Amino acid sequence: GAVVSQHPSWVICKSGTSVKIECRSLDFQATTMFWYRQFPKQSLMLMATSNEGSKATYEQGVEKDKFLINHASLTLSTLTVTSAHPEDSSFYICSARVPSGATDTQYFGPGTRLTVL
Amino acid sequence: GQQLNQSPQSMFIQEGEDVSMNCTSSSIFNTWLWYKQDPGEGPVLLIALYKAGELTSNGRLTAQFGITRKDSFLNISASIPSDVGIYFCAGHITSGSRLTFGEGTQLTVNP
């Protein structure tokens, strides 16, 4: 199957700082990647859809100025959490779409655990 | 937004038992996906279903795309301790639409 990596796997930062998370498709090109957020014992919540070469599409309630997404190449999307606060602490997971004709499958990265002190 | 109703929420079984979980929706989906998530990890794709009525196996796992296109089930046969984790159903209403997730089924297997 397709492989998606994330870096870092975990990060601890001070309140007010910015954190960048990278998502890479290792063995395929992904024109579309997705960023999710997951709180303990809950399902995944879609934050935004990242399209290569264009602006990201954010879900309702997600602040685009706080969660900056850049998809500059077909294998890399980045999520920057700006001016992070403790309530931003969460598990952030990216996925990449592998379209193939009529089928549509998403493969997920291993996630990034963000802790804001 | 669209919702997937996944049940059961949790299961506690003995090693060797078979397991069944399902997802239902009020909307028609054209793709059903089943993922497993281990603690601290991202979801791993287990089975993808693209046609109504499709029955697909992956080792001890079997999943089916319901005929009505509004439901799917996942069966695990002869469970083992490493089957422990959270299983999520997910689906696309149309190709290219957002992926909608169920709430997950937490599976515990007692040796």
Side-chain angles (χ1 to χ4, degrees), chain A residues 38 43 59 97 104-106 109-110, chain B residues 35 37 42 45 50 96 98 102:
Chain A
Q38 187 179 34
S43 190
E59 295 299 302
R97 169 182 286 155
D104 191 345
T105 304
Q106 283 187 33
Chain B
Y35 292 90
Q37 185 176 29
L45 182 65
Y50 301 110
R98 68 166 61 190

Side-chain angles (χ1 to χ4, degrees), chain B residues 13-17 78-81 109-111:
Chain B
I13 61 172
Q14 293 296 126
E15 183 177 358
E17 291 184 356
S79 59
I80 59 178
V109 180
N110 297 313

Side-chain angles (χ1 to χ4, degrees), chain B residues 20-21 24 35 42 47 50 52 58 63-64 80 87 94 99 104 106:
Chain B
S20 184
M21 58 192 79
T24 60
Y35 292 90
I47 293 178
Y50 301 110
N58 178 6
Q64 184 160 31
I80 59 178
Y87 292 79
T94 59
L99 191 58
Q106 172 73 63

Side-chain angles (χ1 to χ4, degrees), chain A residues 74-88:
Chain A
L74 288 172
T75 59
L76 173 65
S77 175
T78 61
L79 168 68
T80 301
V81 183
T82 63
S83 187
H85 290 284
E87 58 265 29
D88 298 323

Side-chain angles (χ1 to χ4, degrees), chain A residues 1 3 5 13 27 31 36 40 44 50 56 71 75 82 89 94 104 107 111:
Chain A
V3 180
S5 71
C13 69
D27 51 359
T31 56
Y36 294 83
L44 283 74
S50 170
H71 193 158
T75 59
T82 63
S89 298
C94 72
D104 191 345
Y107 290 87

Side-chain angles (χ1 to χ4, degrees), chain A residues 16-31:
Chain A
T17 61
S18 294
V19 174
K20 179 185 283 188
I21 302 170
E22 294 185 347
C23 178
R24 294 182 185 271
S25 56
L26 298 186
D27 51 359
F28 66 101
Q29 293 184 329
T31 56

Side-chain angles (χ1 to χ4, degrees), chain A residues 46-63:
Chain A
L46 180 64
M47 298 175 66
T49 300
S50 170
N51 296 297
E52 186 268 337
S54 64
K55 290 184 179 180
T57 304
Y58 290 82
E59 295 299 302
Q60 191 172 9
V62 178
E63 299 176 59

